[in-house]
Amino acid sequence: MSDGIDAILDVVADTAPDVRGGLAGRRVYETAENPSGEQQLAADVYADELLEERLLALDAVGSYASEERDAAVPGTDGEYHVAADPLDGSSNLKSNNTMGTIFGVYDAPLPASGRNLVAAGFVLYGPITTMVVARDGTVTESVIDDGDREIVTENLVVPTDPTVYGFGGRVPQWTDAFAEYVDGVEQELKLRYGGAMIGDVNQVLTYGGIFGYPGLRDRPEGKLRLLFEGHPIAYIVESAGGASSNGERSLLDCEPDRLHERTPLFVGNEPYIDRLEAALGE
Ligand code: FBP
């Protein structure tokens, strides 16, 4: 029996082809900036408006919030609250590289704790379009093609023999403790960093390893947003048997005070996350 969460997942999946189909003509920057002070691409605004319109049409959705708008938009008195990064890695559109749509379904008004998530997922616009969804402790991967969504992996689990890593920020901006940690990782894993978190996290889900965007010397809060990026990705990777951290604890145990709060973000195999927390905690 499908429920409100199924309806939300169907809307995201059904909207993916429209987002992908609308990218080519929207590679230009708007004059406006998003609440994080980043210039918006026409594609960012387009994807955001599509998701807002279609999600708020659902009885199950009580509100919609996104990286591209100041405040959450109220819907019906539905029990679920959706937070989205409509086009993660949109700076990759100009160079025609991977991007994605990230979303989290919370059972409390936003901002909320990661422990209020009841489902989360992402759509990856790569050579093909895939959708990864975590719910009830299980992660599935589907291929979206020609409007159909076909499950290709029933129980996605982070491989336990990790091979890849990727870290954001410029090396001179890294703290000494983090740089020392990376020195060790570099001896063991191969570099995979494409500039869109969702593509890099999918490398970790597929091959095992670690992805992170650390707190920087001049920006200890990091770059990525807790509600729209941190929580959903942590929920997916932890549901797939991996771990997440803000450098101290699971991202799911972090509750933002503000909608657009940033956080250091790390996800991957537990041993690498444990080593990271030990290195940063020294
Ligand atoms: P948005 O496009 O959603 O703002 O995402 C931010 C992001 O592009 C991440 O996807 C990516 O991991 C990071 O920023 C890349 O940052 P940098 O350009 O500093 O490497």
Side-chain angles (χ1 to χ4, degrees), residues 51-76:
L51 288 168
E52 182 225 0
E53 182 198 328
R54 295 177 184 183
L55 287 167
L56 288 181
L58 297 175
D59 293 343
V61 175
S63 70
Y64 170 79
S66 96
E67 190 182 279
E68 303 303 334
R69 56 188 64 226
D70 288 327
V73 184
T76 65

Side-chain angles (χ1 to χ4, degrees), residues 34 36 38-39 44 67-68 85-92 98-100 102 167-170 173 193-201 211-213 216 219 223-225 228-229 262 265:
N34 70 16
S36 302
E38 294 152 351
Q39 210 177 352
D44 286 316
E67 190 182 279
E68 303 303 334
D85 179 353
L87 211 48
D88 173 62
S90 57
S91 58
N92 270 359
T98 57
M99 293 173 292
I102 308 170
F167 296 120
R170 290 183 307 105
Q173 296 172 302
Y193 188 82
M197 175 183 70
I198 213 60
D200 298 329
V201 166
F211 168 82
Y213 205 107
L216 304 172
R219 201 185 207 177
K223 176 183 183 180
L224 303 177
R225 277 57 53 146
F228 307 112
E229 293 160 316
R262 298 177 192 268
L265 181 156

Side-chain angles (χ1 to χ4, degrees), residues 48-134:
D48 184 40
E49 288 172 354
L50 273 183
L51 288 168
E52 182 225 0
E53 182 198 328
R54 295 177 184 183
L55 287 167
L56 288 181
L58 297 175
D59 293 343
V61 175
S63 70
Y64 170 79
S66 96
E67 190 182 279
E68 303 303 334
R69 56 188 64 226
D70 288 327
V73 184
T76 65
D77 55 7
E79 63 184 306
Y80 299 118
H81 303 270
V82 180
D85 179 353
L87 211 48
D88 173 62
S90 57
S91 58
N92 270 359
L93 184 53
K94 201 169 178 190
S95 59
N96 192 23
N97 275 281
T98 57
M99 293 173 292
T101 294
I102 308 170
F103 65 95
V105 182
Y106 295 77
D107 63 7
L110 305 172
S113 163
R115 297 299 170 190
N116 287 104
L117 278 168
V118 291
F122 62 81
V123 175
L124 180 58
Y125 306 105
I128 62 172
T129 304
T130 54
M131 182 171 176
V132 169
V133 172

Side-chain angles (χ1 to χ4, degrees), residues 230-250:
H231 281 167
I233 291 305
Y235 189 86
I236 294 163
V237 172
E238 292 195 17
S239 299
S244 79
S245 182
N246 66 347
E248 289 170 23
R249 61 182 183 279
S250 165

